[in-house]
Structure formats: C-alpha cells, structure tokens
C-alpha cells in the first residue's frame, strides 16, 4: 500500500506551493475581499440605521401632526363654546336691555299718561269750575233779573238760615 | 491513536456536536460501504491470483524479481486490485487511457538529485520527461521505475542492473501537477473575485463574487468567529480561507475523472500532512502563555498526576501532536475512501465480465453505474464537509492556542 506513506517530493512541492498560495491569496485576494465585505456591511448597517432614524423622525412628525390636530380641534371646540356663550350672553343681555327699555318706556308712558291725566283732570276741574261759575253767573243773572225774584230768593235763603 | 486529547474532548462546541450528529448516519453508511469495497477488493486479488496460477503464465520467482500481480498478467486481462490502487496512487505520468495495449498519458517532468553521480555519467542533477521511461518499461540514465514490492512505482537508482536505493526525488508527479492545476483555478477564481470586490466596493456582489462571498462569510461567521473569538479571529482568516478553499476545490476537482482534473490531491497523505503541519505550526507559533501553561501545568488537575511522573503534561503533549495527525488522517481517509469505492464499483463490471461473460458485465454495469453516481454525489457532499471540518478544527486549535481564560 504505497499510498499510505507520505512521499518526500510531494511534501517538498506541496509545502512550497501552499506557502505561495497562502501568501498570494492573503495579499491579493483575502485582504481586498474581506475589506470590501466589511465596508459593505458597515455601509448597509449605516443605511439601515439612518432608515430607522428617518422612520422614527417620520413617526415623530406624525405624532406631532396628530397632537397639533388634536389641539386645533380642542381650540376650535373652546372657541365655539365661547362663541356660543357670548352669543347667549349677548342675546340675554339684549333681551334684558330690551325688556328694561320696554319697562322704562312703559313706565315713562305711564308717568306721562298719569301726568297728562292729572293735567287733564286739573284742566277739566278748572274748566268745570269756570263753567260752573259761568253757569252759576248765568243762572243767577237770569234768576235775579226781576226784583221780586231776587227778594224771594233772599227770603228763601234767609228762611233756610233761620232753620239752621 | 486517533483518540482526541482530553482537552479536545472536554471542549464543548455545540456546532460540532450538532454537525456530527447530523452526519453520523451518513458516516456510518459510508463506512459500511468502504469496508464492503475493501472486502470486494481483497476477494478480487485472491481471485486474480488463483486465476493467474491456473492460467499457468509462469510466475518464476527470480531473486531480484518479487511476485507482483500486475506484472504477470496477460495483456488485456483486468486486475481490479491493481486498477484501484493505481487510481489512488501517485504516478510519474498522467495516464489518460489504454487503447489496444497502448498507453496514452501526459508525460510529466522528473527532477532527481543523486548522491551517486558515478552511476549516471558523472551528473548529480537530472531533469527529464517521464516519457523516457516508456511507462516503466525501460531504464533511463541509470534510473528505473521500480517494480519491487519495497519501492513499487518509485524511481530507483541502478548499479549494474541492481536497484540500490532511491535518489532525492522531487519530480512533478501526477499529484503535484494536479496541485498546480488546482492552484491556477484557485488563483483565477479568487483574484478575479478580489478584482470585482475592489471594483464594486460598497455595491452588491456580482457573478463569481456572488458564489464565493457567502462561503467566505460562512467561514468567517460560523467557523472563525465562534471558534477563535471576536477579537482575534481576523489574524487567522487568510489561513482558514486558503485552507478551506484549497481543500474544497481540490476535493471537487478530484471527483471529475477527465485530465487535467481528477488527480487525487486531497487523498494524498503527503498533501494532507503538509496542510496539517501548517495548522500545527500556526497553532504552536501563536500559542500564548495560558496555552503552554495548560499543557505543562494544567489547572484543576490533582498534583500527583503532575509531580513524580508528569502524566498530565505527557498526555497534553501527546494531544498537541495527535491533533494535526488526526487532521491529516481524517481528510486523507475520507477522500481516498470515496475514490476507492467508486473505482471498486467500476471494476466490479470487469470482474463480473470475466466471471460470467458479457451478460454478467452488462448486468452489473447498471448497478455499478447507479452506485458510482450515488457515491459521487455523496462525495460532493463529503468534499464540502471535509473542507469544513478541517477548517473548523484548525480554527478550534487556534482558538485554544489564543484563548486567555476558560
């Protein structure tokens, strides 16, 4: 079985060849290949990292947007509420004012009416007095045209006074 | 001998446990197949010997020529044992096919250094093509490809026609040529990937880069990082990646049976030995104070295991040496087993042909081919697994050598 013994010549050549292979591959193959691999891995890792960062940023923006929207909605609600309140307030105020004004005018009218009434009454009274004086004058005038009548009346009056 | 050391056993690494349980069934199955194929192999050798005797093609035992089954066969007769062993063994030329008793092969350069220049015309250093030997049939300049049992298939020096020993032999054999070819492919793949990695810096990978990068990332993130630790793994990455892809590509090339593919590189024990020695050397050189203290004075062990007889240090030191040995044997055995099973399956066709005639050959070929395809697919899986295991264990050893505390 000759193939079980290592042959000196084969060992000699194999040592030289393998040493050369090792040297050449190390210098001209493994170095650039492993460097390129490493470089690519780091660049892929960087790209992935930056993508992750960008994703996070976008997510942050989204969250911000949502926040802004929520806030805007809240503000809108508040504004609407305020507006409603103001509206109600204004209406209530207006109503109050209107009713007060109405009351005031009614009062005024009433006062005026009362004063007018008083004036009218006093005028009527004066006129009534005048009229009654005039009527009385006229009656007296007519009554006391003849002397008999005047005497009669005085007599009547005196009669009455006697009774008293 | 193959038993892992005490420390390695206690080193609980969830990944390996998971991994081995997952592939335990597969390994048992493959082991069964391997032993079956070895039984078949020994049977064919016995059969062939028997046949050769009966055929009466004189086995004449001359003093210097020891019986060798292959040599004494009638041309054209199939010897399964020789076929299988030749397939997984190294050779001086790259055999492509044999056509009508003519060998077609790629000749490879032979490089020899002899300490006996007087036998070879005064020269010490020789470089020539293996075709000069005519497939081992003739001698050249005082050298011969031996057929003796001791040096079968190796080049020996001759003195007056007698083999006197081996010269220093650094020939480019089939395995070495296969390594050169695979290294060309490895350089082509990884230098072009590196070029496109430089060009596409920071961009998505393209083409070949796409195929290779996931494996590199796997070795980095699943093997080196958990085994060595986040801080120190980068120092060992070049070795781990080189060893992983060297083993993987050679495993896969070894499965393709057409030259220039198909050389049995990772199934050669010298090759796996060098790889394991590299791991051993790096482990030893990067071992820190804590690592050496754990070997020579392991903490948490009763003093009487250390003092009069340094039992624990001896065991630990043995562990240091068995680790690379295990790496060497595991890769070698796994790959050669796959090759052996496939070649035995194929040779079954010829065995059945010679036993039962042409019908037997055709009949068994369906089973054999189906089985070979199945084993080859299994071997693709094994190629990845073995590359992974070698790298993972190397990484674990580096992790042990550089760890600060438990």
């Amino acid at each position: 079985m000759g193939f079980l013994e290592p042959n000196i010549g084969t060992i000699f050549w194999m040592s030289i060849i393998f040493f050369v292979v090792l040297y050449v591959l190390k210098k001209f193959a493994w170095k650039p290949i492993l460097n390129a691999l490493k470089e690519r891995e780091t660049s892929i890792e960087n790209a992935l990292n930056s993508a992750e960062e960008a994703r996070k940023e976008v997510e942050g923006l989204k969250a911000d947007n949502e926040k802004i929207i929520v806030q805007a909605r809240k503000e809108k609600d508040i504004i609407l509420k305020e507006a409603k309140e103001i509206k109600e307030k204004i209406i209530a105020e207006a109503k109050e004012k209107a009713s007060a004004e109405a009351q005031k005018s009614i009062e005024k009218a009433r006062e005026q009416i009362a004063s007018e009434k008083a004036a009218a009454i006093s005028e009527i009274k004066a006129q009534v007095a005048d009229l009654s004086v005039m009527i009385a004058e006229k009656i007296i005038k007519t009554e006391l045209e003849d002397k008999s009548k005047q005497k009669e009346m005085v007599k009547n009056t005196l009669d009455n006074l006697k009774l008293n | 001998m193959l038993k892992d050391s005490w420390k390695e056993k206690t080193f609980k690494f969830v990944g390996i446990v998971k991994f081995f349980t997952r592939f335990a069934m597969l390994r048992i199955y493959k082991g069964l197949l391997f032993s079956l194929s070895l039984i078949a192999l020994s049977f064919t050798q016995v059969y062939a010997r028997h046949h050769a005797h009966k055929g009466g093609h004189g086995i004449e035992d001359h003093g210097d020529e020891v019986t060798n089954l292959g040599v004494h066969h009638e041309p054209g007769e199939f010897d399964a044992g020789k076929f299988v062993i030749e397939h997984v063994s190294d050779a001086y030329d790259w055999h492509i096919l044999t056509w009508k008793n003519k060998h077609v092969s790629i000749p490879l350069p032979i490089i020899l250094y002899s300490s006996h220049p007087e036998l070879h015309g005064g020269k010490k250093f020789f470089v020539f093509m293996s075709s000069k030997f005519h497939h081992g049939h003739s001698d050249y300049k005082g050298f011969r490809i031996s057929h003796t049992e001791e040096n079968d298939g190796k080049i020996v020096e001759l003195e007056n026609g007698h083999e006197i020993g081996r010269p220093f032999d650094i020939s480019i054999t089939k395995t070495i040529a296969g390594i050169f070819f695979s290294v060309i492919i490895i350089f082509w793949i990884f230098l072009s990937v590196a070029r496109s990695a430089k060009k596409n810096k920071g961009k998505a990978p393209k083409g070949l880069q796409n195929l290779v990068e996931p494996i590199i990332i796997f070795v980095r993130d699943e093997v080196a990082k958990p085994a060595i630790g986040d801080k120190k793994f980068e120092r060992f990455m070049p070795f781990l990646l080189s060893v992983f892809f060297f083993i993987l590509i050679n495993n896969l090339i070894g499965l393709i049976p057409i030259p220039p593919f198909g050389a049995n590189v990772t199934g050669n024990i010298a090759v796996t030995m060098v790889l394991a020695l590299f791991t051993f050397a790096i482990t030893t050189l990067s071992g820190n104070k804590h690592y050496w203290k754990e070997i020579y004075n392991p903490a948490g062990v009763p003093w009487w295991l250390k003092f009069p007889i340094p039992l624990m240090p001896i065991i630990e030191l043995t562990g240091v040496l068995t680790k690379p040995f295990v790496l060497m044997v595991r890769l070698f055995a796994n790959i050669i087993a796959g090759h052996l099973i496939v070649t035995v399956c194929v040779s079954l066709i010829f065995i059945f042909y010679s036993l039962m005639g042409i019908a037997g050959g055709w009949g068994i070929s369906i089973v054999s081919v189906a089985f070979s395809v199945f084993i080859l697919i299994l071997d693709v899986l094994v190629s990845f697994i073995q590359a992974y295991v070698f790298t993972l264990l190397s990484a674990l050893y580096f992790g042990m050598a550089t760890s600060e505390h438990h």
Side-chain angles (χ1 to χ4, degrees):
Chain A
M1 300 282 257
F3 59 86
L4 283 178
E5 301 155 12
N7 186 12
I8 299 287
T10 316
I11 293 172
F12 173 82
W13 281 112
M14 175 64 193
S15 306
I16 294 173
I17 294 169
F18 194 69
F19 193 81
V20 170
V21 167
L22 205 59
Y23 178 78
V24 170
L25 287 184
K26 183 181 177 175
K27 193 154 186 200
F28 298 108
W30 306 134
K31 221 170 160 190
I33 291 174
L34 289 173
N35 280 346
L37 273 177
K38 216 183 212 173
E39 205 166 284
R40 191 188 312 142
E41 268 159 19
T42 49
S43 81
I44 288 174
E45 211 178 291
N46 286 345
L48 284 177
N49 282 347
S50 60
E52 178 71 14
E53 250 164 52
R55 202 178 62 83
K56 267 184 192 158
E57 226 163 78
V58 167
E59 229 158 65
L61 281 180
K62 236 186 196 169
D64 275 2
N65 278 353
E66 228 141 82
K67 233 188 242 166
I68 288 170
I69 287 171
V70 167
Q71 206 168 348
R73 212 167 268 161
K74 242 186 219 165
E75 259 164 42
K76 183 196 83 178
D77 282 350
I78 290 170
I79 290 169
L80 277 180
K81 214 172 157 192
E82 268 173 17
K84 219 175 177 182
E85 270 167 21
I86 289 170
K87 181 193 88 179
E88 261 157 30
K89 212 168 147 195
I90 288 171
I91 288 173
E93 253 170 40
K95 259 185 189 167
E96 220 167 274
K97 221 174 176 182
S99 68
E101 203 86 354
Q103 205 72 28
K104 224 173 164 185
S105 55
I106 285 169
E107 205 74 16
K108 226 179 183 176
R110 208 172 267 163
E111 264 169 36
Q112 214 163 346
I113 286 167
S115 70
E116 295 271 318
K117 201 175 145 189
I121 285 171
S122 68
E123 206 170 310
I124 287 169
K125 266 180 188 170
Q127 270 185 1
V128 166
D130 277 356
L131 273 177
S132 43
V133 168
M134 207 170 71
I135 290 164
E137 214 182 55
K138 267 182 182 173
I139 291 167
I140 291 167
K141 254 180 191 172
T142 51
E143 289 269 313
L144 299 176
E145 252 175 58
D146 49 62
K147 284 260 186 120
S148 60
K149 270 188 186 176
Q150 277 174 5
K151 279 172 181 171
E152 194 180 336
M153 200 218 54
V154 170
K155 198 194 163 191
N156 276 349
T157 317
L158 289 171
D159 284 349
N160 281 344
L161 281 171
K162 246 182 225 167
L163 279 168
N164 282 346
Chain B
M1 192 158 53
L2 299 186
K3 235 168 91 182
D4 288 347
S5 76
W6 164 76
K7 201 159 144 198
E8 199 188 320
K9 266 188 183 165
T10 52
F11 195 89
K12 276 175 191 162
F13 189 69
V14 184
I16 324 179
V17 177
K18 255 194 207 162
F19 174 81
F20 280 120
T21 46
R22 195 176 302 161
F23 291 105
M25 286 312 292
L26 203 114
R27 295 176 130 246
I28 292 166
Y29 192 42
K30 207 177 162 189
L32 271 174
L33 279 176
F34 184 51
S35 41
L36 272 178
S37 69
L38 284 183
I39 292 166
L41 195 66
S42 54
F43 169 74
T44 58
Q45 269 176 333
V46 171
Y47 168 76
R49 189 170 305 189
H50 179 68
H51 209 67
H53 273 291
K54 245 188 2 193
H57 292 286
I59 301 166
E60 294 157 45
D61 283 340
H62 292 297
D64 56 328
E65 205 175 324
V66 183
T67 309
N68 182 289
L69 291 171
V71 181
H72 295 284
H73 262 256
E74 196 180 328
E77 195 172 333
F78 179 72
D79 179 354
K82 195 181 165 223
F83 169 74
V84 172
I85 297 301
E86 260 179 10
H87 174 83
V88 295
S89 300
D90 208 354
Y92 287 104
D93 50 9
W94 201 323
H95 186 245
I96 299 171
L97 56 91
T98 304
W99 182 255
K100 288 181 178 165
N101 283 330
K102 283 229 168 175
H103 295 291
V104 181
S105 56
I106 305 163
L108 297 168
I110 286 179
I111 305 163
L112 299 170
Y113 180 84
S114 173
S115 46
H116 305 286
E118 69 278 3
L119 301 175
H120 316 290
K123 265 172 76 185
K124 279 188 161 184
F125 194 69
F126 291 88
V127 179
F128 54 91
M129 295 306 279
S130 66
S131 51
K132 294 283 199 301
F133 284 124
H134 298 103
H135 309 289
H137 295 309
S138 54
D139 303 343
Y140 182 75
K141 283 186 179 170
F143 295 107
R144 171 195 282 175
I145 294 178
S146 174
H147 296 300
T148 60
E149 202 167 332
E150 196 197 342
N151 290 323
D152 188 25
K154 304 232 167 89
I155 289 177
V156 287
E157 289 179 286
L158 297 174
E159 189 172 21
N160 305 324
H162 289 277
E163 299 177 7
I164 56 158
R166 301 193 55 206
F168 185 62
D169 180 1
I170 47 167
S171 306
I172 307 296
T173 58
K174 184 180 164 185
T175 302
I176 307 293
I179 296 172
F180 274 120
F181 178 71
S182 73
V183 166
I184 290 168
I185 288 185
I186 288 170
F187 280 169
W188 172 69
I189 291 176
F190 292 104
L191 295 183
S192 69
V193 167
R195 204 178 321 119
S196 67
K198 264 188 212 159
K199 212 168 59 187
N200 294 345
K201 232 171 199 183
K203 284 187 212 158
K206 268 185 201 163
L208 202 58
Q209 201 189 348
N210 240 343
L211 176 76
V212 171
E213 265 189 8
I215 309 178
I216 294 175
I217 292 172
F218 172 78
V219 172
R220 190 191 62 183
D221 292 351
E222 307 296 323
V223 177
K225 262 189 201 169
I228 303 172
D230 281 344
K231 281 177 203 158
K232 291 168 184 161
F233 79 96
E234 269 177 344
R235 186 147 53 100
F236 301 105
M237 278 309 288
F239 175 75
L240 292 175
L241 285 171
S242 303
V243 118
F244 182 86
F245 284 106
F246 186 86
I247 294 172
L248 176 66
I249 287 169
N250 274 303
N251 285 350
L252 292 176
I253 284 176
L255 295 178
I256 304 168
I258 307 153
F261 302 95
N264 182 21
V265 173
T266 38
N268 184 305
I269 198 152
V271 171
T272 62
M273 188 173 128
V274 172
L275 291 174
L277 283 176
F278 265 91
T279 296
F280 175 69
I282 292 172
T283 312
T284 310
L285 290 177
S286 54
N288 58 14
K289 218 167 132 191
H290 180 255
Y291 173 71
W292 293 114
K293 195 202 151 265
E294 280 296 299
I295 289 169
Y296 291 113
N297 185 18
V301 175
W303 63 269
W304 45 268
L305 280 176
K306 295 187 268 193
F307 176 53
I309 314 154
L311 203 60
M312 282 314 291
I314 289 171
I315 292 171
E316 289 286 351
L317 218 53
T318 322
V320 168
L321 298 175
T322 48
K323 276 172 201 160
F325 186 79
V326 169
L327 278 183
M328 169 181 85
V329 172
R330 181 183 291 118
L331 179 59
F332 162 72
N334 270 284
I335 302 308
I336 208 160
H339 284 239
L340 282 177
I341 295 170
V342 171
T343 37
V344 166
C345 274
V346 172
S347 46
L348 275 179
I349 299 171
F350 301 98
I351 293 164
F352 273 75
Y353 166 68
S354 61
L355 280 174
M356 300 180 186
I358 197 131
W362 278 107
I364 202 73
S365 68
I366 298 164
V367 182
S368 276
V369 168
F371 216 64
S372 302
V373 168
F374 169 68
I375 294 296
L376 275 173
I377 291 168
L378 203 66
D379 274 345
V380 172
L381 188 61
V382 168
S383 298
F384 280 94
I385 292 169
Q386 288 311 317
Y388 169 63
V389 168
F390 197 102
T391 316
L392 178 64
L393 287 176
S394 296
L396 282 175
Y397 300 156
F398 299 156
M400 279 183 210
T402 55
S403 77
E404 295 295 340
H405 295 286
H406 279 293

